[in-house]
Amino acid sequence: MTAVIHEGDVCDTSRRKRLNFGVVPFFDCNATLISASQYLFSALDSRAFLRSATVLLPPSWPDSCVSTAVLSASGESSDVTVLPSSPARGKIWTQQSLGCGQSGDQIYLGYQGLLAKDNTLARSLIKHFAMYRYGVFEEQGYFSDPIYPMCFYDDQNKQAKVTGCSDLPIQDNGICSADPNAVYNTTKMVDEKARSSIMFAAEAPSVSMFCDEGNHDRLAPTKHNLMCQRRSVLDVIINHKDFATTNLQNIMTSNQITDTTPMIVYKKQNLTRYVFVIENTKDMMQRESWSYLRLAMRQWALYALPDNTEIGMIPVESTRALNIVPVRSNLNDRFGNNNRDKFYSALPYTPSESMQPGCLQCSLKEAIKMLNDRTRTHGAALNVIVVIAPGMNNSGQLGATVKDLKRSKIRVATINYPDIVRPNTLRLLAEETNGADYTVFEQKLNVDTTLLSTYFELHNVLYDIITKFYSGSQSDLPIEIHRREITDDGRTSVTGSFMLDPSMVEPAQFTFYTHNTVTPLIKGLKLISPSHQTFANRNDKFIDFKMITLNANISETGTWTYIVEPYPGNPQPHFLQVMATPRSPAAPVVRANLRIHRNSPREPWVMLAEIKQGDLPILGAKVEVTVIKPEKNGSASHKTKLELLDTGAGDPDVTKGDGVYTRYFSAVEWGPGLYTFEVVASDNGNTAYTWTDSSRTNEGKPCCGSTIIANGVQPISPFQRVLPKVTIMVTPEEIHSIGQSLVGRIGDLKVEVIPEDMRARLSWTSPDMGGTTVSRYEIRYATSVLDIMDKFETAAALWEIGHPFPLAPGSETTFTLDMNQNRELLDKPLYFAIKAYPKMASEFSGPISNWVRVLVPSPPPPPTIPPTYSANEHSYWPSNTNSVGVDPAGPSIAKSMPVGLELILPVVIGIILLLVLLMAYCYFCVVKRKVREGHKNSGKSNAIKKDTLSSAITIVPSSPENANHNLSQSYIGADVPDPHQVGVPVSNYGYEDDTKKRYSLVNQQEQQLIEELKQQQMHQQQRDAYGGVCVISNNTINRNQPILSPYNSWSASQLLHEHERRHSPMEGSVMEQEQIIHQEILMNGDHMSVNGQSMDHVSVNGHQMQDSYPQGHLPPPVPPLPAFTGNGYPLNYNIYGVHQPHVQQGIYQSMQRNEPMAPFNPSLQGSLNSVNSGEKKRRNVTMV
């Protein structure tokens, strides 16, 4: 006797085979399967082998494709899928979505790989069969994988080692030394005499065993070590349920020769049989729930059920049963009725009045007998029992019923409807028979009416059963591409759109669901194609089923737009649904499915949603799950939304990029009860993508590590998939056991060493703590791998400098290890690991993460000799870069110079100091300027601010004839201007700004002197000194104005001319000659009169005035004011650098020559003599 490993190992070609393969003789897999069975028998020490194998052929293939007879399939589940072309991840690979010891999803095998003669295919098949059947993982590294590298550094032996497992040393062949010519070939890396391990080098001729406890390498960073808590592969396989039989010991000790040749059978899935077991007690009657059930089953039998189907019905507690009849029948009675009509007519109009639950087990046994009898008489088929009931009671006979179902190869699809009024749901029947479980709750509008959503969900569940158990190509059935619920929100028109991708064609249908079939509360329906063609003609063919369709040809690729005009005030919702059919069996259609699984009774539930386009995974999709815990009255007491993740962190998501989105669910927060899961998958705002066709090439690289990396990706069309609801019942005992489970392991811990800063950055994905978030992390380190793995709590030291911040599950988390505060850890290889604590039960921690090796080097000492390398040479830091995952002791060689804290800190301090100095300088400048302005403004009178003289004003002394001898009016008045300011051009923009621009006489001593001169002028009443002064402004002469200083009366051109004359290169000779001439004129008593008889037309504001000086004579120096001649200043005071002789006469006179002249006041000369000092040039320029 032998132990049965798997009775239905299948090479399934029915899913994605091309139609033209039917004319090619199918491959002969007998030799491959026989060799694989012998290889498995040897690897497991005669514990198991392949007893039988079933190959499912596509329904479109002729029987001549194989040399043996083709039988009818009876619902075998596929384990191996043969694809039309090689998958992107090699010629063979296994998709694993669950944890250690759990069965895989599927084995994928390339069809072209079967056509070529490959002696190692049988060995590779057993390797992947162990992964698929027993839940073990590969013991090798992967290209560019930071979690499972190809090489790692062994500190005990001080060398790099290949990631793998074998009973003899493994050669790296240049892989660990970064040899660019090295080729990763496990067959050539193992020793020629090595016997293990199959999970590392199954293709090697000498390898024939799995690694056991004796040769298992617990330190290697393999995927199997991380997922299976560093148990050996053989230990995991032996503890599988396949070997937990009482006859296993007898099988192993038997001396009989075992024939390991499997029996290979070729089959086709041609027919599906349904037997409905429906409870018809009063519990099934809640408002319109029974009428909805009859209506939905009628529509399902008449229009949805395919022709290759047989149907039967057994109402619970009823003698009126319908034996199995074929749907496709040409025999109609004289009134045109057929078997489809007989099926839904067998359902009573109303349920019975019985308040007692019916005997569900009795009806199940009767259905099993009906299916077995039909199989004996009409051949094998996919037999399915559909159970519709409001739950079930606990019964000791249920276990025996489940065994009968498995023995007869019957699957069970369960629908919990209209409510769950029994202690348990029907889920157990579906789980044990590899069936499908659904839940549809009746939702009431009022005491008499049920919401239309109940009928809509029931209609979709019945159709989903067809797609699950259809015997044929899935491309024959339309799929839903759009769904929307429309409620009364006050709008008179509702607009929406959906996308029809190129893989979908006719037959397609746009359906509008309404509650009132007599007078539907809708004004109109419109459907607009991408080419702006409008479809508005309704079709009432299905109006009795609460469905309104449009006569539209939905085949044009692109975005379709619909417009719905409902009547306001409708309490019932409306629903829109769009169905379309795949173009061909090979068309890449987006499909989605949901599973809820528990790895063990002590672990929480795992929600798994698989989203694929054809056989390629969809990445970046949004998979949102709505979890509802309803109350007894039907209202939702608790409701939350969770987003499933494809992170590849290892717990619960195993591999990133495989199109499987996972998340834990915990009922600890809400307590025991009934929970419903609603899943909606979408393109996440047009951001989802998939692999390109070029990614399908086999590059010889192993698959699949922490992440599946494709060669190229491409965006996909917008999509939406709404999955049927799934319901589970949570008991108090399950919640208690879940609260103590160890989940939430960090499986993608990575490290990046920053040597120039003496830091190391850890990064990982925030784990899912069994349905809750992380409350805190615990980071520890040790000097050996064994201490961090086996003695995490005792031998490993706690990192106490800072703590990571907890984030939501799936978030990228980073934490920096600063060795500046622990310099004793520099230059030491350390091993770090993390574990997380959940938020709900902080006393229980998650498992320990994968370890990482951290080596932070000390900074090198400063060089004693300046470096001589050029700017484009590499840094003098040593480069320890290698391919084994060893942390480098210095920065990357790509950096020419390290930019560390030693360089950045001085630069920052210098910049800050410079800014402080600049601010201080600006502050003192502002203060000094304010002080100067205060002194300057104190010497100005208020009258000057009212002066509005134009810039064209010029002052000239008047002649004696026109002089006004009443000089008191010129000096005494309310608005006497400053004699040093009159005549200064005043700007219209403000007094202060103009004076700052034009004059810089801000010296305090000069201001005091000017004040003294003003006081002297005001007190001196000399009527005979001067005549009147005329002001010429804008060609108008105004007399009797205040007397001005001569240098204030000069124009800008005269001042510039005088400045150039006095500072010219000929200053020494010319000025002396001019002084002599000038003194002679004064001694001769000559006088100058403006507007007098002795001067002809001097140019004043455009009027020509004749110059009385000789030709070529320059203007005289600036004379002192007449009023200033009374002081005791020396007469030889320099004016503008010109020494003045002692004279008794004034330079400018407006009186007779022989009249006494006012004494000369040299105080003005004293104030002007300061220009001979160091400020001479500045003051000359500013005065100009």
Side-chain angles (χ1 to χ4, degrees):
M1 295 180 67
T2 60
V4 178
I5 299 300
H6 186 62
E7 199 168 338
D9 295 333
V10 180
C11 297
D12 182 7
T13 61
S14 63
R15 293 188 175 185
R16 301 170 181 88
K17 276 294 178 185
R18 292 173 181 162
L19 295 179
N20 57 3
F21 288 171
V23 299
V24 180
F26 186 58
F27 61 88
D28 186 6
C29 64
N30 292 359
T32 300
L33 294 176
I34 292 173
S35 178
S37 179
Q38 295 174 351
Y39 191 54
L40 179 64
F41 187 76
S42 173
L44 295 179
D45 293 333
S46 304
R47 291 183 175 89
F49 63 93
L50 300 180
R51 172 183 290 183
S52 63
T54 302
V55 180
L56 294 178
L57 302 179
S60 59
W61 281 27
D63 295 345
S64 60
C65 289
V66 295
S67 58
T68 60
V70 179
L71 305 179
S72 179
S74 55
E76 292 84 355
S77 300
S78 64
D79 303 309
V80 181
T81 299
V82 181
L83 301 176
S85 58
S86 298
R89 299 301 90 196
K91 64 180 181 180
I92 181 172
W93 65 287
T94 302
Q95 178 175 304
Q96 295 177 275
S97 302
L98 302 175
C100 182
Q102 304 296 318
S103 299
D105 302 336
Q106 196 76 190
I107 301 174
Y108 293 94
L109 183 63
Y111 174 76
Q112 297 177 355
L114 294 175
L115 296 179
K117 187 176 181 180
D118 188 359
N119 297 328
T120 65
L121 180 59
R123 294 172 171 266
S124 300
L125 184 61
I126 292 302
K127 171 185 174 180
H128 289 274
F129 176 80
M131 298 168 60
Y132 169 76
R133 182 70 179 178
Y134 305 120
V136 297
F137 296 86
E138 291 180 311
E139 296 182 302
Q140 64 182 28
Y142 305 93
F143 284 91
S144 303
D145 199 316
I147 310 302
Y148 314 118
M150 288 187 173
C151 300
F152 69 101
Y153 193 82
D154 186 3
D155 282 317
Q156 296 179 352
N157 300 322
K158 304 299 180 182
Q159 64 179 358
K161 293 180 60 176
V162 177
T163 302
C165 184
S166 180
D167 54 343
L168 295 177
I170 303 175
Q171 304 296 326
D172 62 358
N173 293 340
I175 296 295
C176 299
S177 58
D179 185 1
N181 299 323
V183 179
Y184 188 82
N185 190 337
T186 57
T187 302
K188 297 181 180 180
M189 295 167 68
V190 297
D191 193 273
E192 295 180 355
K193 300 179 180 180
R195 299 188 60 191
S196 61
S197 163
I198 294 177
M199 303 310 297
F200 173 69
E203 294 80 8
S206 61
V207 173
S208 59
M209 300 181 65
F210 297 101
C211 271
D212 55 15
E213 295 296 331
N215 52 33
H216 176 62
D217 188 358
R218 298 178 65 248
L219 304 182
T222 63
K223 192 171 186 177
H224 178 80
N225 277 338
L226 179 63
M227 299 299 300
C228 296
Q229 302 298 319
R230 307 191 181 279
R231 297 166 56 193
S232 67
V233 173
L234 187 61
D235 181 49
V236 176
I237 294 176
I238 295 303
N239 286 276
H240 192 265
K241 61 182 180 179
D242 287 346
F243 303 100
T245 60
T246 58
N247 296 326
L248 181 59
Q249 185 67 27
N250 297 330
I251 295 172
M252 296 181 62
T253 58
S254 177
N255 295 325
Q256 296 180 359
I257 299 176
T258 304
D259 184 10
T260 60
T261 304
M263 182 180 61
I264 302 174
V265 180
Y266 295 92
K267 295 182 179 182
K268 284 184 182 181
Q269 192 68 63
N270 298 320
L271 183 65
T272 302
R273 294 192 182 102
Y274 293 102
V275 174
F276 278 74
V277 177
I278 303 175
E279 182 172 330
N280 62 340
T281 62
K282 198 170 183 179
D283 292 333
M284 297 291 292
M285 185 68 175
Q286 294 185 10
R287 287 165 287 274
E288 298 179 275
S289 61
W290 186 260
S291 61
Y292 278 179
L293 177 62
R294 293 189 71 255
L295 192 63
M297 291 192 62
R298 180 187 173 194
Q299 192 275 336
W300 181 80
L302 288 178
Y303 300 104
L305 202 61
D307 290 338
N308 57 340
T309 307
E310 295 180 352
I311 51 178
M313 182 181 296
I314 302 177
V316 180
E317 300 293 336
S318 176
T319 59
R320 186 182 178 184
L322 174 67
N323 290 325
I324 299 176
V325 294
V327 171
R328 191 175 197 176
S329 176
N330 296 326
L331 300 177
N332 296 336
D333 57 21
R334 55 184 176 179
F335 297 103
N337 295 327
N338 53 28
N339 291 336
R340 294 177 184 265
D341 299 322
K342 294 178 181 179
F343 170 75
Y344 66 80
S345 300
L347 194 63
Y349 291 117
T350 59
S352 65
E353 296 296 329
S354 174
M355 300 294 295
Q356 298 295 326
C359 182
L360 185 61
Q361 285 78 12
C362 299
S363 300
L364 286 174
K365 289 181 179 180
E366 186 177 353
I368 293 173
K369 182 179 181 300
M370 184 182 295
L371 288 172
N372 290 335
D373 293 343
R374 186 72 178 181
T375 300
R376 284 191 298 267
T377 58
H378 292 79
L382 175 56
N383 296 327
V384 180
I385 298 177
V386 182
V387 181
I388 304 177
M392 64 180 181
N393 295 325
N394 295 323
S395 175
Q397 300 178 356
L398 184 60
T401 303
V402 172
K403 290 182 180 180
D404 293 340
L405 292 170
K406 291 183 177 180
R407 189 182 303 110
S408 302
K409 300 180 181 180
I410 298 175
R411 298 189 187 183
V412 179
T414 58
I415 302 177
N416 297 277
Y417 179 82
D419 200 353
I420 298 178
V421 297
R422 308 283 187 264
N424 296 321
T425 65
L426 304 174
R427 182 177 178 81
L428 178 63
L429 297 174
E431 285 183 340
E432 293 294 332
T433 60
N434 195 20
D437 178 64
Y438 305 93
T439 300
V440 178
F441 289 116
E442 189 268 346
Q443 303 177 42
K444 69 174 183 178
L445 177 63
N446 49 46
V447 294
D448 297 326
T449 310
T450 300
L451 289 176
L452 181 64
S453 56
T454 304
Y455 173 77
F456 182 71
E457 291 179 10
L458 187 61
H459 173 272
N460 291 321
V461 164
L462 291 173
Y463 184 78
D464 192 73
I465 291 176
I466 295 178
T467 60
K468 282 284 195 306
F469 306 105
Y470 175 65
S471 295
S473 176
Q474 291 291 322
S475 61
D476 298 338
L477 303 177
I479 63 175
E480 183 187 73
I481 62 175
H482 182 72
R483 176 190 297 188
R484 182 174 180 179
E485 181 181 1
I486 300 176
T487 58
D488 184 18
D489 55 0
R491 292 182 294 176
T492 59
S493 178
V494 178
T495 304
S497 62
F498 62 90
M499 178 70 182
L500 186 68
D501 58 67
S503 62
M504 309 300 293
V505 293
E506 287 276 354
Q509 184 172 276
F510 178 88
T511 307
F512 181 81
Y513 290 81
T514 181
H515 181 267
N516 193 338
T517 59
V518 179
T519 56
L521 299 179
I522 180 175
K523 298 178 183 178
L525 285 174
K526 290 183 181 180
L527 184 62
I528 303 174
S529 68
S531 60
H532 304 287
Q533 184 179 0
T534 302
F535 302 93
N537 295 328
R538 297 193 312 271
N539 190 334
D540 292 341
K541 178 181 180 180
F542 306 105
I543 189 64
D544 293 338
F545 305 107
K546 302 182 181 297
M547 301 163 60
I548 301 175
T549 61
L550 290 178
N551 296 324
N553 181 16
I554 307 176
S555 60
E556 184 179 353
T557 301
T559 302
W560 290 69
T561 305
Y562 56 84
I563 300 175
V564 181
E565 298 177 356
Y567 282 105
N570 184 13
Q572 288 279 2
H574 296 292
F575 290 92
L576 275 174
Q577 188 178 49
V578 182
M579 307 286 289
T581 306
R583 185 179 297 273
S584 66
V589 179
V590 177
R591 298 183 184 274
N593 62 79
L594 173 69
R595 291 180 293 162
I596 297 181
H597 177 81
R598 296 181 71 184
N599 294 334
S600 69
R602 295 179 57 88
E603 295 187 13
W605 285 269
V606 182
M607 300 174 290
L608 303 99
E610 183 179 14
I611 316 296
K612 288 189 175 183
Q613 186 181 37
D615 60 312
L616 300 180
I618 294 179
L619 313 178
K622 182 178 181 180
V623 184
E624 192 174 57
V625 180
T626 302
V627 183
I628 303 174
K629 183 186 177 183
E631 290 183 347
K632 294 297 183 180
N633 57 5
S635 62
S637 58
H638 298 284
K639 183 176 181 180
T640 185
K641 289 187 178 182
L642 302 173
E643 186 173 348
L644 305 189
L645 306 173
D646 184 15
T647 61
D651 190 12
D653 196 70
V654 177
T655 307
K656 182 179 181 179
D658 58 352
V660 179
Y661 298 77
T662 61
R663 190 78 179 266
Y664 277 121
F665 167 72
S666 175
V668 176
E669 182 179 359
W670 294 346
L674 191 69
Y675 290 85
T676 302
F677 303 86
E678 303 176 2
V679 180
V680 177
S682 64
D683 59 303
N684 197 16
N686 203 21
T687 59
Y689 59 96
T690 186
W691 299 342
T692 59
D693 293 336
S694 61
S695 300
R696 294 177 173 269
T697 59
N698 182 10
E699 299 182 358
K701 295 181 180 180
C703 175
C704 306
S706 61
T707 305
I708 301 179
I709 302 176
N711 297 334
V713 295
Q714 61 183 355
I716 61 176
S717 302
F719 69 90
Q720 179 198 52
R721 298 293 183 269
V722 181
L723 304 182
K725 295 180 181 179
V726 178
T727 303
I728 61 174
M729 181 70 72
V730 181
T731 62
E733 294 77 15
E734 291 173 337
I735 293 180
H736 178 72
S737 62
I738 290 172
Q740 300 178 359
S741 61
L742 296 179
V743 295
R745 180 185 63 253
I746 298 174
D748 60 345
L749 180 63
K750 301 179 287 293
V751 64
E752 178 187 2
V753 177
I754 310 174
E756 57 266 24
D757 294 338
M758 291 184 291
R759 290 182 173 91
R761 183 180 295 112
L762 301 177
S763 61
W764 66 91
T765 301
S766 181
D768 185 355
M769 306 301 296
T772 62
T773 57
V774 179
S775 63
R776 62 185 178 91
Y777 292 100
E778 182 178 318
I779 302 177
R780 292 183 178 268
Y781 63 94
T783 56
S784 68
V785 180
L786 295 177
D787 289 342
I788 200 66
M789 290 192 311
D790 303 331
K791 304 176 182 179
F792 185 84
E793 301 289 345
T794 58
L798 179 65
W799 183 268
E800 299 179 350
I801 304 176
H803 302 281
F805 185 77
L807 301 175
S811 303
E812 184 69 19
T813 307
T814 59
F815 180 73
T816 301
L817 304 172
D818 191 357
M819 299 299 180
N820 291 283
Q821 305 181 30
N822 284 334
R823 289 182 174 266
E824 65 275 6
L825 301 180
L826 296 175
D827 300 321
K828 295 180 180 180
L830 304 175
Y831 297 89
F832 281 78
I834 308 177
K835 68 177 182 179
Y837 289 82
K839 189 175 183 180
M840 298 299 298
S842 58
E843 66 274 10
F844 298 101
S845 66
I848 302 173
S849 69
N850 61 303
W851 57 266
V852 292
R853 183 178 184 271
V854 179
L855 177 60
V856 179
S858 299
T864 57
I865 301 176
T868 59
Y869 56 81
S870 60
N872 58 356
E873 291 180 354
H874 293 309
S875 171
Y876 57 85
W877 287 74
S879 175
N880 290 342
T881 304
N882 50 60
S883 61
V884 301
V886 180
D887 299 314
S892 173
I893 61 175
K895 300 178 181 179
S896 60
M897 282 296 292
V899 181
L901 191 61
E902 298 83 1
L903 180 59
I904 296 177
L905 190 59
V907 173
V908 173
I909 293 176
I911 293 174
I912 295 175
L913 183 59
L914 182 61
L915 291 175
V916 171
L917 294 176
L918 184 59
M919 292 173 62
Y921 174 78
C922 294
Y923 174 78
F924 286 114
C925 288
V926 172
V927 171
K928 187 175 179 181
R929 183 178 181 182
K930 289 183 178 180
V931 173
R932 289 181 177 179
E933 289 178 355
H935 289 295
K936 181 176 180 179
N937 294 335
S938 62
K940 295 181 174 64
S941 63
N942 295 330
I944 192 64
K945 297 180 181 180
K946 300 180 182 180
D947 195 352
T948 57
L949 292 175
S950 172
S951 61
I953 296 176
T954 305
I955 307 300
V956 279
S958 63
S959 61
E961 291 81 358
N962 299 326
N964 188 358
H965 297 282
N966 189 10
L967 296 179
S968 62
Q969 297 178 2
S970 300
Y971 292 96
I972 301 174
D975 298 327
V976 178
D978 190 343
H980 293 277
Q981 300 293 337
V982 177
V984 178
V986 180
S987 173
N988 294 331
Y989 297 100
Y991 169 80
E992 294 294 337
D993 294 338
D994 192 80
T995 55
K996 292 176 184 178
K997 295 178 182 179
R998 294 179 176 268
Y999 299 97
S1000 300
L1001 299 177
V1002 294
N1003 188 275
Q1004 186 176 2
Q1005 297 179 357
E1006 295 181 4
Q1007 294 294 336
Q1008 294 177 357
L1009 180 58
I1010 292 174
E1011 292 296 330
E1012 294 176 359
L1013 296 178
K1014 288 170 56 179
Q1015 294 176 4
Q1016 293 176 8
Q1017 283 183 325
M1018 296 296 295
H1019 290 85
Q1020 290 178 0
Q1021 303 294 333
Q1022 299 180 3
R1023 299 176 178 270
D1024 299 330
Y1026 291 91
V1029 179
C1030 62
V1031 179
I1032 304 175
S1033 176
N1034 297 331
N1035 299 328
T1036 303
I1037 298 177
N1038 298 323
R1039 300 185 182 275
N1040 298 329
Q1041 298 297 329
I1043 298 175
L1044 299 179
S1045 171
Y1047 69 86
N1048 281 339
S1049 64
W1050 282 9
S1051 64
S1053 59
Q1054 291 175 318
L1055 291 174
L1056 285 174
H1057 183 73
E1058 181 65 15
H1059 177 74
E1060 294 296 332
R1061 182 188 67 81
R1062 297 178 179 236
H1063 295 279
S1064 65
M1066 303 298 295
E1067 180 180 1
S1069 59
V1070 174
M1071 292 187 62
E1072 291 179 0
Q1073 183 178 0
E1074 290 181 353
Q1075 290 179 11
I1076 297 173
I1077 298 173
H1078 184 65
Q1079 295 297 331
E1080 291 179 354
I1081 295 175
L1082 294 177
M1083 294 300 295
N1084 293 331
D1086 294 338
H1087 71 279
M1088 178 179 64
S1089 178
V1090 181
N1091 293 334
Q1093 298 297 328
S1094 61
M1095 294 186 65
D1096 296 331
H1097 307 290
V1098 178
S1099 175
V1100 179
N1101 290 347
H1103 298 276
Q1104 297 296 327
M1105 301 178 65
Q1106 185 176 355
D1107 192 359
S1108 60
Y1109 292 100
Q1111 186 176 0
H1113 189 274
L1114 296 177
V1118 179
L1121 288 174
F1124 300 157
T1125 58
N1127 287 345
Y1129 288 99
L1131 297 179
N1132 59 348
Y1133 197 84
N1134 292 336
I1135 300 178
Y1136 288 99
V1138 180
H1139 182 76
Q1140 300 296 329
H1142 294 276
V1143 293
Q1144 300 297 328
Q1145 294 85 1
I1147 298 177
Y1148 295 98
Q1149 293 182 352
S1150 57
M1151 59 189 71
Q1152 299 297 328
R1153 296 181 182 180
N1154 54 1
E1155 291 181 357
M1157 187 176 181
F1160 172 67
N1161 188 352
S1163 61
L1164 181 60
Q1165 290 183 346
S1167 65
L1168 298 178
N1169 188 39
S1170 61
V1171 299
N1172 243 357
S1173 63
E1175 299 179 356
K1176 173 181 178 180
K1177 295 183 179 180
R1178 181 179 61 84
R1179 293 183 178 179
N1180 289 338
V1181 175
T1182 54
M1183 290 178 65
V1184 173

